[in-house]
Amino acid sequence: MQQDMIVIIDLGSEENASLAREIRALGVYSEIHPHDITKDALAALPNVKGIILNGGANRVVDGVEIDASEAVYSSGIPTIAFDHKGADAMPSGEDERKKVLSDFIFNTCKAQANWNMENFINDQIELVRRQVGDGKVLLALSGGVDSSVVAALLIKAIGDKLTCVHVNHGLLRKGEPEQVVEVFGKELGANLVYVDATDRFLDKLAGVADSERKRKIIGAEFIRVFEEEARKLDGISFLAQGTIYPDIIESGTKTAKAVKAHHNVGGLPDDLQFELVEPLKMLFKDEVRACGAALGLPDNMVYRQPFPGPGLGVRCLGAITRDRLEAVRESDAILREEFAKNGLAGKVWQYFTAIPDFRSVGVRDNARCYDWPVIIRAVNTVDAMTASIEEIDYAVLHKVTNRILAEVKGVNRVLYDLSPKPVATIEWE
């Protein structure tokens, strides 16, 4: 069943994502689109029942106050304006705000509350089949939540037309490459190609300290690996990715600066040889998990903590060295093991270690040492757009600290990051 849609036109609001989530919570699908959307682009959106002009603090761009395109005003689609000059401001009270939204969506627009995972999955299966046709698809399978859900959805949609490629770029957590091969290659029976490209990636990253350059290098090298693997296969013309909505939003809009480039959004080369298949690109993180559960994926896969596409490359802060990368991997494994022992694995949304590219003086075996600090980060969130700090019991922190200092080579301090998002982001890079 094709779902009704409410389109949010971005006129500089910092609340676009929150508004989209509120509308979806009412059972109606919603997407965010730029203020200058064209007539053809608007017409191509399915089942648009209403438009919200969402203005805000970033409405003035390059000294000019932006407005919606003529295509929006002449569309004939019911429209309401929030928070911008000459229109009613969005109500601040939660109940009042919900009432205004509900009245507009259901009474003015006559939209149906048909946004649910079953309909979303059926829609995406239909869209993927229509897009791919008789072609074949290559999926970048990291083994994380997003790519795993994409794999499950594509297997349902196109079956053996899908080939999954798992690239070990040397930036994965301890034991992950082996786990991916076991679960997807053996248990789920996917067409799985395993590529060990550790040296290739680390050589490309040698001496690169800037986080955005690292992301772009990793993203571009991924594509090159896939192109090489595709040439070994017959008829591959599509590349599937686990891109989700926060990736797109954080990579920047026409009214908001980028928070950071995501390797599957900002790191793609201009000469990409594939057409992209991104069935999850309009879902928030909690919706991705709900989609995975609806597809029948096991809980330990659906609720696995998020892991960035560039992997430990953005947790080995600054220029990556192999010894510091290994220290990140080992300290992260200790943290995950201790969190699991203490019932925190299912309670904390994301937790990891990061090691910056500087050292401090310490004492080891009655002698001076000059080693790295390990930073522990543990946060909770619903949609990855905001995050709060998990208050970990000191006994657990002491145990983690003692193990890291005793077992991880080249480390002499352990720190706990208390910064929420915003102002900080979840990852350090």
Side-chain angles (χ1 to χ4, degrees), residues 44 113 116 139 144 174 180 191 275 323 336 407:
N116 58 59
L139 169 64
K174 189 173 183 178
V180 169
N191 294 329
E275 182 178 333
D323 51 358
R336 288 191 290 133
E407 299 174 30

Side-chain angles (χ1 to χ4, degrees), residues 205-212 214 312-321 324 354-358 428-429:
L205 291 165
V208 178
D210 181 75
S211 61
E212 293 298 272
K214 287 197 289 186
L312 300 182
V314 291
R315 295 177 181 173
C316 187
L317 309 178
I320 298 170
T321 60
R324 192 156 48 88
I355 300 183
D357 188 16
F358 62 80
W428 270 60
E429 289 189 340

Side-chain angles (χ1 to χ4, degrees), residues 105 109 120 161 191 268 274 387 397 414 428:
I105 292 167
C109 302
F120 173 81
K161 292 179 183 176
N191 294 329
L268 298 175
F274 303 110
L397 287 177
V414 177
W428 270 60

